[in-house]
Amino acid sequence: MEAAQSTCLFLLFLLTCGLPPKVAAEVQESSDGPSASQEPAWLTDVPAAEEFIAAAEVAIIGFFQNLEIPAVSVFRSMVQKFQDVSFGISTSSEVLIHYNITGNTISLFRLVDNGRLNLESKDIESIDDTKLSRFITVNNLRLVTEYSPMTVVGLFNSLVPIHLLLMINKTSPGYEENMHRYQRAAKLFQGKILFILVDSGMKGNGKVISFFKLKKSQLPALAIYQTVDDEWDTLPIAGISEEQVQNFCDGFLKGKRLRENHESEEKAQKVEL
Ligand SMILES: *[C@@H]1O[C@H](CO)[C@@H](O)[C@H](O)[C@H]1NC(C)=O
Ligand SMILES: *[C@@H]1O[C@H](CO)[C@@H](O)[C@H](O)[C@H]1NC(C)=O
């Protein structure tokens, strides 16, 4: 109970501390480009659906009994808005049975934590652009998810209890190269640690940086956070290397802490409890 409570505190803290409201636009920046199809893919059998899900970091399928309901056009209108997400539709009874669908359901499948999230008949009846956009934005977790007030909700809803944050100025020299290495490291910990990018060049993210007791002058830095018991550690770095990220994560998983002060603080607190 303690742990759940403190996680909520952390989450509330992040959510309520003057973060910028315009999230949807930022999330879409990580688009795969204009080549993405503007229509949902038609999934006519189970192998097609399975292949479709396996091929995307985030896939969303509208499982509809028929196409006459208003939710279908709302669903279709999302394709253009979220170009980094794969959209599919199926009305095939074979597919619906396979995915345990009764009624109409919109399901989001994602690779990073093997998660499946559903909007079921009740939600579907009253769905509109705003609700569906929010559902997608919140749950659009990638191998590396950019931190925002919306994605933080999805990150804390994931069953993966350890989060690694890279705090880096996106407009700084070498950013792209660092991100590629961070991406590669993320693959090594898929399903075990959620990798997050915090743009320190964004004013609103200052609160996240100070939560980990880091100063602007110490960035870029890594912070690792265990949502179950609120344990965390940080590592200021000059630039990202895959090996360094791996060592930092492995060390944390094994109970090693680099921040000495923090560790003694934690111990003191635990003794008090
Ligand atoms: C459908 O439900 C059954 C029983 O709960 C479960 O074993 C199966 O994995 C589900 N199928 C899918 C595709 O999630
Ligand atoms: C981010 O980097 C850019 C370019 O180096 C710089 O102009 C800007 O002030 C930095 N922002 C912050 C908040 O450090």
Side-chain angles (χ1 to χ4, degrees), residues 82-93:
F82 294 92
Q83 303 222 338
D84 62 346
V85 172
S86 296
F87 287 81
I89 285 186
S90 189
T91 53
S92 143
S93 56

Side-chain angles (χ1 to χ4, degrees), residues 7-272:
T7 300
C8 289
L9 282 177
F10 175 71
L11 181 57
L12 272 179
F13 176 86
L14 294 179
L15 286 173
T16 52
C17 290
L19 290 155
K22 288 230 164 183
V23 179
E26 284 149 28
V27 170
Q28 289 150 42
E29 268 174 28
S30 53
S31 152
D32 285 340
S35 60
S37 160
Q38 302 298 308
E39 276 293 320
W42 283 97
L43 305 169
T44 52
D45 55 31
V46 173
E50 285 179 335
E51 205 173 301
F52 180 78
I53 293 164
E57 261 197 80
V58 176
I60 299 193
I61 302 182
F63 296 108
F64 300 120
Q65 303 290 341
N66 68 70
L67 298 174
E68 308 307 308
I69 57 168
V72 174
S73 62
V74 176
F75 184 81
R76 283 196 160 121
S77 74
M78 294 292 126
V79 178
Q80 212 152 358
K81 214 167 162 186
F82 294 92
Q83 303 222 338
D84 62 346
V85 172
S86 296
F87 287 81
I89 285 186
S90 189
T91 53
S92 143
S93 56
E94 175 204 338
V95 174
L96 270 57
I97 289 166
H98 178 80
Y99 288 97
N100 295 330
I101 308 297
T102 53
N104 298 298
T105 301
I106 293 173
S107 297
L108 181 148
F109 299 85
R110 63 188 180 214
L111 201 66
V112 66
D113 61 353
N114 234 338
R116 174 180 173 184
L117 295 101
N118 301 316
L119 287 172
E120 295 185 345
S121 294
K122 266 224 168 91
D123 311 304
I124 300 287
E125 276 165 28
S126 63
I127 203 87
D128 59 22
D129 280 21
T130 312
K131 286 179 186 163
L132 188 52
S133 285
R134 186 186 150 79
F135 173 76
I136 298 170
T137 306
V138 163
N139 297 304
N140 188 3
L141 305 188
R142 330 287 306 187
L143 214 46
V144 175
T145 303
E146 180 158 0
Y147 174 87
S148 78
M150 296 278 264
T151 55
V152 73
V153 176
L155 289 163
F156 275 88
N157 283 338
S158 164
L159 295 176
V160 176
I162 301 176
H163 300 172
L164 179 74
L165 298 87
L166 168 62
M167 300 175 214
I168 190 168
N169 185 339
K170 271 175 103 170
T171 57
S172 61
Y175 165 75
E176 296 287 338
E177 292 76 10
N178 281 317
M179 263 311 280
H180 285 142
R181 293 192 280 266
Y182 192 56
Q183 284 270 1
R184 281 205 297 271
K187 290 206 182 95
L188 304 174
F189 292 93
Q190 195 176 323
K192 295 196 196 93
I193 298 177
L194 293 177
F195 277 52
I196 301 161
L197 167 71
V198 180
D199 181 8
S200 60
M202 263 180 68
K203 238 185 170 177
N205 291 341
K207 295 290 174 186
V208 183
I209 295 156
S210 53
F211 178 87
F212 291 105
K213 301 194 167 38
L214 288 163
K215 297 187 188 71
K216 275 262 157 75
S217 60
Q218 293 175 290
L219 303 184
L222 294 170
I224 193 161
Y225 180 80
Q226 158 73 268
T227 60
V228 179
D229 58 10
D230 270 354
E231 275 219 50
W232 54 276
D233 199 11
T234 53
L235 177 67
I237 45 167
I240 282 283
S241 82
E242 214 176 314
E243 197 186 358
Q244 194 177 25
V245 173
Q246 197 177 354
N247 289 341
F248 181 57
C249 291
D250 284 339
F252 186 80
L253 293 172
K254 287 183 191 135
K256 196 164 112 193
R257 301 292 177 263
L258 302 174
R259 288 183 68 257
E260 285 162 27
N261 290 343
H262 178 64
E263 193 164 2
S264 50
E265 260 171 43
E266 291 266 299
K267 276 189 183 139
Q269 278 178 3
K270 290 220 167 99
V271 171
E272 277 168 38

